[in-house]
Amino acid sequence: MNMTVAPAPGFPVSNTQWEQLQSLAHSLSPEQALWASGYFAGVGHALRSSTSILPSAAIAGVPDLATVTGSAARSLTILYGSETGNSADLARRVKTQAEAKGIKATVADMAGYKTRQLKDEQDLLVVVSTHGEGDAPEPAAEFFEFLFGRKAPKLAGIRFAVLGLGDSTYEHFCGAARRIDERFLELGAERLAERIDCDVDYEDPAAAWVEETLAGLAAKATATSSVAAAQFAHVPPVAGGYDKRRPFLAPVIENIVITGRGSSKETRHIELSLEGSGLSYRPGDALGIVPRNDGRLIDRLLAAAGLNPPDAIEIKAQPATLADALSSHFEITALTPRFIEHWAKLSGASELAGLLGEGKRGELTSYMGRNHIVDVLEAFPVKGLTAADFAAGLRTLQPRLYSIASSSSLAEDEVHLTVSTLRYDLNGTQRGGVASTHLATLTEEDATIPVYIQENPHFRLPEDPDRPVIMIGAGTGVAPYRAFLQDREANDATSPTWLFFGERNFRTDFLYQVEWQRHLDEGRLSRLDLAFSRDQAEKTYVHHRMREQGRDLYDWLENGAHVYVCGDAEGLAPDVHRALIDIVAQQGKVGAEEADAYIRNLQRDGRYQRDVY
């Protein structure tokens, strides 16, 4: 029953006004009443400020219905899982944009996230990359294990949205994001927005999704929203600083082949100057390289497309020649589902269209592995093509990351890389890796390349310098260990160190042999175990050497050693991981489950770190 109560003496409203307010109040839901209280507060503020015109929808600064019914009052956590740093960078930018909208937000890394907090979250934006074929990012593995395990809590009352980063050339594109999205629903959480799966050129679609999702949270879809989205995609760096969006043009100091004559591969040691850049890095970090595409490939593409180098095209509303755009802006080697779909429409090729049907992802992936963009252009030519038609199916050329092979404590104002030049035959012609072959050409005295530092907080030397260190790597995966030992040399660290290194042949592929020998002679490197796979009939790899030294390796672990693995994610990393579990089981005389738990505890404690690719 509604009851009208007279205003108390001294209330600044008349009886008539009070009756009107009471009548309105009885017709409102609790949420609407909350909104009305904010609205009238804004009205009062406007009148006190002598504002003569009140907007019909809302007054600036007055929260609207969606804000006061829970969005602004609820806590927002931006949880990220990152392998190369893109998700971490994106999460921090989302926080900045959320706070610009008046939403208080916190950022959390899955690697260090306290899983018991999950049930107490309210609004959750998840930014997660996918590693390899649908796997979680390496640092986020423990969070995924928890989320998909029996201890995962019910998430009723939690609202969430997922932004996935991935590479569409992989069959299980954005698989990690898809798994989290589905799992949150299974656990009872409610979607704030539909999941978005972003390819490597994620900036623009991610910006639009973030703007829309945050606008839904803040319910402040004003005329400034489009401006905010553009600012998100092009966040300026700190004044005077350099980053992924504004790289530093680094001069090449040295660029030499360090594999011997007759080697089956070409590995280079490259030194770049950072003088005057203000860039700094720590051992374990990576260097982002902004490459250029091979001019010979550009010529072949233009010929196949019937286009000319000076043809005009627009890049982000700026005029450019097609040749320049193909050189530095577009990815022109690897095929993507987007390009195949685009070219199928332009060419009318049934063979291409047949790869895009339901249940055809396996065939599509196989086709993309056997062909590049130029192969498609030559197999299915299109007449009368314009530059814009061709470019519409291409994605943006992305930087490549390389583990840094130096310590700034020893190599001041320099950064060193260890790069294996990727060259191979495909469909009767020689192809090459975009960045590695570009780097191989930078041998002139005035050569430069745009670079930036990508931090890797999940691959760090122990904070305690007295902890033993075990370093396991093959090929160019030895690069960060060169940085580790340089850093220890500069800081006079004396704790035991052990390097397991593998390559193809001792005579031609023993990378940095003289340096390792010097570290051994000076006591900086305590032990060195080598595995040269092709020097004998039966191939031998680093995980074989680990098993041979199982007893000592286990003793090092029991004495607090930190273990590092760097190299191939498909071969080296799982083989080494399996060897560690087997060694713990054998030497510790425990079962497989207990040995697996032992290794997982090492990961949880930061004593087992991997940088794999």
Side-chain angles (χ1 to χ4, degrees):
M1 180 176 65
N2 293 337
M3 181 180 295
T4 302
V5 180
F11 269 33
V13 293
S14 67
N15 287 338
T16 301
Q17 289 173 323
W18 180 248
E19 290 173 359
Q20 291 173 335
L21 286 173
Q22 285 283 76
S23 176
L24 175 64
H26 291 315
S27 69
L28 297 177
S29 69
E31 291 82 5
Q32 290 171 326
L34 281 171
W35 179 86
S37 67
Y39 178 82
F40 284 117
V43 171
H45 173 76
L47 292 174
R48 284 193 301 270
S49 302
S50 299
T51 303
S52 58
I53 300 176
L54 301 181
S56 60
I59 299 174
V62 178
D64 55 25
L65 178 60
T67 301
V68 299
T69 56
S71 295
R74 293 165 64 93
S75 64
L76 173 64
T77 298
I78 304 159
L79 183 64
Y80 71 86
S82 187
E83 186 77 34
T84 63
N86 286 335
S87 293
D89 176 60
L90 188 53
R92 288 189 288 267
R93 292 159 61 195
V94 173
K95 178 179 185 291
T96 299
Q97 190 170 347
E99 291 179 340
K101 290 180 174 294
I103 305 172
K104 185 177 180 180
T106 59
V107 173
D109 184 352
M110 289 181 187
Y113 183 73
K114 304 298 183 185
T115 51
R116 62 178 177 271
Q117 293 177 209
L118 185 59
K119 67 180 185 303
D120 298 321
E121 298 288 0
Q122 293 180 326
D123 289 337
L124 195 61
L125 297 188
V126 180
V127 183
V128 63
S129 63
T130 294
H131 186 56
E133 285 293 358
D135 296 329
E138 180 74 24
E142 186 177 338
F143 176 82
F144 270 71
E145 181 184 357
F146 166 80
L147 188 64
F148 289 87
R150 290 176 296 178
K151 294 183 179 180
K154 296 298 181 183
L155 302 180
I158 293 178
R159 303 185 305 187
F160 76 98
V162 178
L163 188 158
L165 299 183
D167 184 337
S168 63
T169 60
Y170 286 91
E171 182 172 355
H172 301 288
F173 172 53
C174 284
R178 187 176 300 108
R179 289 166 58 201
I180 281 190
D181 186 55
E182 294 171 353
R183 182 59 169 163
F184 273 32
L185 286 177
E186 290 175 2
L187 295 172
E190 175 191 353
R191 275 202 189 103
L192 278 166
E194 290 297 320
R195 186 189 75 250
I196 182 174
D197 296 335
C198 297
D199 208 344
V200 294
D201 49 351
Y202 61 86
E203 292 280 3
D204 289 342
W209 183 90
V210 169
E211 172 62 21
E212 182 178 350
T213 303
L214 292 180
L217 275 173
K220 291 179 180 176
T222 66
T224 61
S225 62
S226 59
V227 176
Q231 291 174 339
F232 177 91
H234 304 286
V235 176
V238 177
Y242 296 96
D243 60 11
K244 182 179 179 179
R245 286 163 290 281
R246 185 192 171 201
F248 172 70
L249 196 61
V252 180
I253 302 171
E254 188 166 49
N255 188 345
I256 59 173
V257 177
I258 56 174
T259 41
R261 182 176 299 176
S263 173
S264 57
K265 58 169 63 176
E266 177 186 283
T267 302
R268 290 178 170 269
H269 174 78
I270 300 172
E271 299 183 3
L272 307 172
S273 173
L274 298 180
E275 186 175 359
S277 68
L279 291 173
S280 61
Y281 62 90
R282 295 174 60 186
D285 286 343
L287 188 73
I289 294 289
V290 182
R292 296 178 72 86
N293 287 308
D294 189 337
R296 292 168 297 181
L297 176 57
I298 294 171
D299 292 342
R300 187 176 168 187
L301 280 170
L302 290 172
L307 298 169
N308 299 303
D311 288 348
I313 192 170
E314 280 194 359
I315 305 296
K316 296 188 181 298
Q318 297 297 317
T321 67
L322 182 57
D324 286 343
L326 295 180
S327 175
S328 58
H329 182 75
F330 290 118
E331 176 73 60
I332 62 172
T333 301
L335 272 175
T336 65
R338 183 173 79 187
F339 186 84
I340 290 179
E341 181 178 7
H342 177 67
W343 205 256
K345 292 177 181 177
L346 290 177
S347 66
S350 58
E351 182 179 338
L352 295 179
L355 297 171
L356 302 169
E358 188 72 24
K360 296 284 188 176
R361 183 64 213 218
E363 293 179 37
L364 176 63
T365 300
S366 176
Y367 183 87
M368 292 190 299
R370 300 192 311 270
N371 297 278
H372 286 167
I373 289 174
V374 69
D375 300 309
V376 173
L377 265 63
E378 292 175 345
F380 308 102
V382 176
K383 293 183 179 180
L385 195 67
T386 68
D389 288 338
F390 174 44
L394 301 175
R395 64 183 184 182
T396 307
L397 181 64
Q398 296 297 304
R400 270 57 170 178
L401 297 177
Y402 290 93
S403 297
I404 292 175
S406 57
S407 167
S408 58
S409 297
L410 205 64
E412 189 176 359
D413 289 332
E414 294 180 11
V415 62
H416 301 173
L417 302 177
T418 311
V419 179
S420 180
T421 309
L422 179 61
R423 295 190 178 97
Y424 56 98
D425 288 329
L426 181 66
N427 297 330
T429 60
Q430 189 177 76
R431 314 293 171 97
V434 176
S436 65
T437 53
H438 176 56
L439 284 167
T441 67
L442 301 179
T443 55
E444 302 297 326
E445 287 188 8
D446 59 349
T448 59
I449 189 165
V451 303
Y452 63 94
I453 300 298
Q454 182 64 63
E455 294 184 356
N456 186 2
H458 305 297
F459 204 75
R460 291 278 187 252
L461 282 166
E463 292 184 7
D464 181 355
D466 294 327
R467 288 293 186 104
V469 172
I470 300 170
M471 301 167 287
I472 304 166
T476 58
V478 79
Y481 306 140
R482 184 175 185 266
F484 281 10
L485 289 181
Q486 282 191 1
D487 195 74
R488 291 171 63 83
E489 179 178 1
N491 293 290
D492 297 319
T494 59
S495 64
T497 57
W498 189 349
L499 174 62
F500 288 89
F501 171 65
E503 249 294 1
R504 292 180 178 176
N505 300 99
F506 171 83
R507 187 175 62 84
T508 57
D509 305 318
F510 193 173
L511 307 181
Y512 302 116
Q513 178 182 0
V514 174
E515 293 187 30
W516 306 131
Q517 188 60 55
R518 179 175 66 83
H519 288 310
L520 280 169
D521 293 342
E522 295 175 0
R524 203 168 296 109
L525 183 60
S526 309
R527 297 184 63 163
L528 176 62
D529 278 89
L530 304 169
F532 293 100
S533 61
R534 301 188 183 184
D535 278 351
Q536 59 283 315
E538 187 173 349
K539 290 185 178 180
T540 302
Y541 299 104
V542 290
H543 64 91
H544 295 124
R545 294 289 182 246
M546 291 169 60
R547 293 176 186 275
E548 291 171 1
Q549 303 297 332
R551 181 175 180 178
D552 287 349
L553 201 154
Y554 180 70
D555 286 344
W556 278 52
L557 294 179
E558 287 289 275
N559 286 315
H562 286 230
V563 183
Y564 300 87
V565 180
C566 184
D568 173 38
E570 294 185 5
L572 172 82
D575 287 341
V576 166
H577 188 80
R578 196 174 302 111
L580 285 170
I581 292 174
D582 291 346
I583 288 168
V584 169
Q586 182 180 8
Q587 301 300 325
K589 295 180 174 54
V590 297
E593 286 191 11
E594 192 173 343
D596 182 72
Y598 183 102
I599 296 302
R600 291 185 182 277
N601 284 334
L602 292 182
Q603 290 179 302
R604 187 175 298 111
D605 296 339
R607 289 179 50 205
Y608 176 26
Q609 301 181 30
R610 308 200 303 180
D611 181 9
V612 297
Y613 38 85

